[in-house]
């Protein structure tokens, strides 16, 4: 089986991650079709990309002509059928397995036989997603980090069903985006979240038990470990709901107490305190 030539990329989901991935792909020279479920979400996502390009123009990072060229290679749609001509489709929808399985089934029916389907999941089983398609050898994970246009790392996640050609094609695609790919097996949490989630949950437990204050924990980890942000700032940035889903997925697979979500995290998510995206998490945002 030959490596797939990628010219047109589809992105399903135009939220924070999806819009960032779409922007990254356009800037790397690809034609991009991004799909959302309603016009409000689509326009919000496209507006976020347009603002990013305006900021790059204002800082002299790109020219006005480049920004216009980028806009010409990006198309938004509400119809999943408009992804039919894509060579590779990146799924970036909500971190719920049932939603992803429905989407993978639909994409498999729609896309040309040689097209690849990859998931941006941070912790869910890519093998399970591949299993609902007739092309499991052409499915893998491609986990970007937020903000996708800036963060250099991507995790290429290999389910047991993926072919060598698929993994090599996706690895080269990641490099073409200016990213550094690392290869991970399809185990819950992959590399980064498997190591990061216990740290974040431990910080929440420290706060819950009164061992130290929010601000002192954040300051200690910034200045003591040289981290760019403390755990609570990072939790708010990633999203408390996203952290909860990742923790649940890893705990479900390993049953390790380190990955069991603390009660405070569950209550904050139930209350809609999701971090930056909702305006309030461990900190408040205007």
């Amino acid at each position: 089986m030959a490596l797939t030539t990628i010219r047109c990329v589809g992105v399903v989901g135009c939220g924070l991650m999806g819009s960032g991935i779409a922007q990254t792909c356009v800037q790397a020279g690809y034609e991009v079709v991004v799909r959302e479920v309603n016009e409000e979400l689509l326009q919000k996502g496209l507006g976020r990309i347009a603002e990013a390009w305006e900021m790059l123009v204002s800082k002299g990072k790109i020219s006005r002509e480049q920004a216009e060229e980028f806009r010409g290679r990006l198309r938004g749609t509400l119809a999943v059928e408009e992804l039919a001509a894509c060579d590779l489709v990146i799924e970036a929808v909500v971190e719920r397995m049932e939603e992803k399985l429905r989407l993978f089934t639909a994409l498999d029916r729609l896309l040309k036989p040689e097209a690849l389907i990859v998931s941006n999941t941070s912790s869910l089983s890519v093998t399970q997603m591949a299993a609902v398609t007739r092309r499991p050898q052409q499915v893998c994970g491609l986990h970007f980090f937020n903000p996708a246009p800036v963060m250099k790392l991507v995790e290429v996640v290999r389910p047991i069903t993926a072919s060598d050609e698929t993994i090599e094609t996706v690895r080269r695609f990641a490099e073409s985006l200016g990213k550094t790919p690392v290869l991970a097996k399809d185990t819950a949490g992959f590399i980064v979240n498997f190591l990061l989630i216990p740290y974040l949950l431990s910080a929440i437990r420290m706060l819950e038990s009164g061992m130290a204050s929010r601000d002192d924990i954040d300051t200690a980890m910034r200045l003591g470990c040289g981290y760019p942000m403390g755990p609570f700032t990072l939790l708010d940035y990633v999203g408390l709901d996203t952290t909860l889903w990742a923790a649940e997925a890893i705990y479900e697979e390993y049953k390790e107490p380190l990955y069991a979500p603390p009660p405070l995290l569950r209550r904050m998510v139930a209350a809609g305190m999701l971090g930056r995206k909702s305006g309030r998490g461990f900190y408040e945002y205007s």
Side-chain angles (χ1 to χ4, degrees), residues 169-226:
T169 298
V170 173
R171 187 190 67 77
R172 291 187 188 183
F173 171 71
E175 288 180 340
S176 78
L177 302 179
K179 305 303 182 187
T180 299
V182 293
L183 184 61
K185 289 184 178 179
D186 183 27
T187 53
F190 315 137
I191 296 172
V192 172
N193 278 333
F194 190 83
L195 295 172
L196 177 64
I197 292 295
Y199 158 67
L200 296 176
L201 299 188
S202 293
I204 297 172
R205 292 188 190 102
M206 287 184 75
L207 183 64
E208 264 184 325
S209 65
M211 291 172 65
S213 70
R214 174 201 69 185
D215 290 356
D216 283 350
I217 294 170
D218 264 5
T219 299
M221 296 312 293
R222 279 193 302 105
L223 302 184
C225 292

Side-chain angles (χ1 to χ4, degrees), residues 235-237 239-240 272-282 285:
L235 280 157
D236 280 0
Y237 194 84
L240 274 67
M273 298 167 63
L274 309 181
R276 283 183 173 272
K277 68 175 93 175
S278 68
R280 188 179 177 200
F282 287 99
Y285 305 88

Side-chain angles (χ1 to χ4, degrees), residues 91-100 119-124 129 143 190 193 241-242 245-246 249:
E91 170 273 311
V93 302
V94 66
E95 195 75 335
R96 294 290 190 190
M97 182 59 83
E98 59 270 22
E99 292 293 328
K100 295 182 188 292
S119 175
N120 182 56
T121 183
S122 61
S123 54
L124 298 178
M129 299 175 212
H143 179 214
F190 315 137
N193 278 333
D241 51 346
T242 302
W245 295 333

Side-chain angles (χ1 to χ4, degrees), residues 17-54:
M17 285 307 302
S19 62
I21 293 168
Q23 178 189 336
T24 303
C25 293
V26 169
Q27 289 173 193
Y30 294 98
E31 298 286 333
V32 176
V33 183
V34 61
R35 185 254 182 175
E36 254 300 356
V37 293
N38 63 52
E39 190 66 29
E40 180 184 357
L41 290 175
L42 180 62
Q43 292 308 318
K44 185 176 180 182
L46 293 176
R48 192 181 298 116
I49 298 170
E51 286 173 14
W53 286 334
E54 284 300 314

Side-chain angles (χ1 to χ4, degrees), residues 49-67:
I49 298 170
E51 286 173 14
W53 286 334
E54 284 300 314
M55 185 185 301
L56 290 175
V57 170
S58 69
K59 291 183 175 181
K61 303 279 189 179
I62 63 173
S63 66
R64 175 63 61 189
E65 291 73 20
Q66 281 177 300

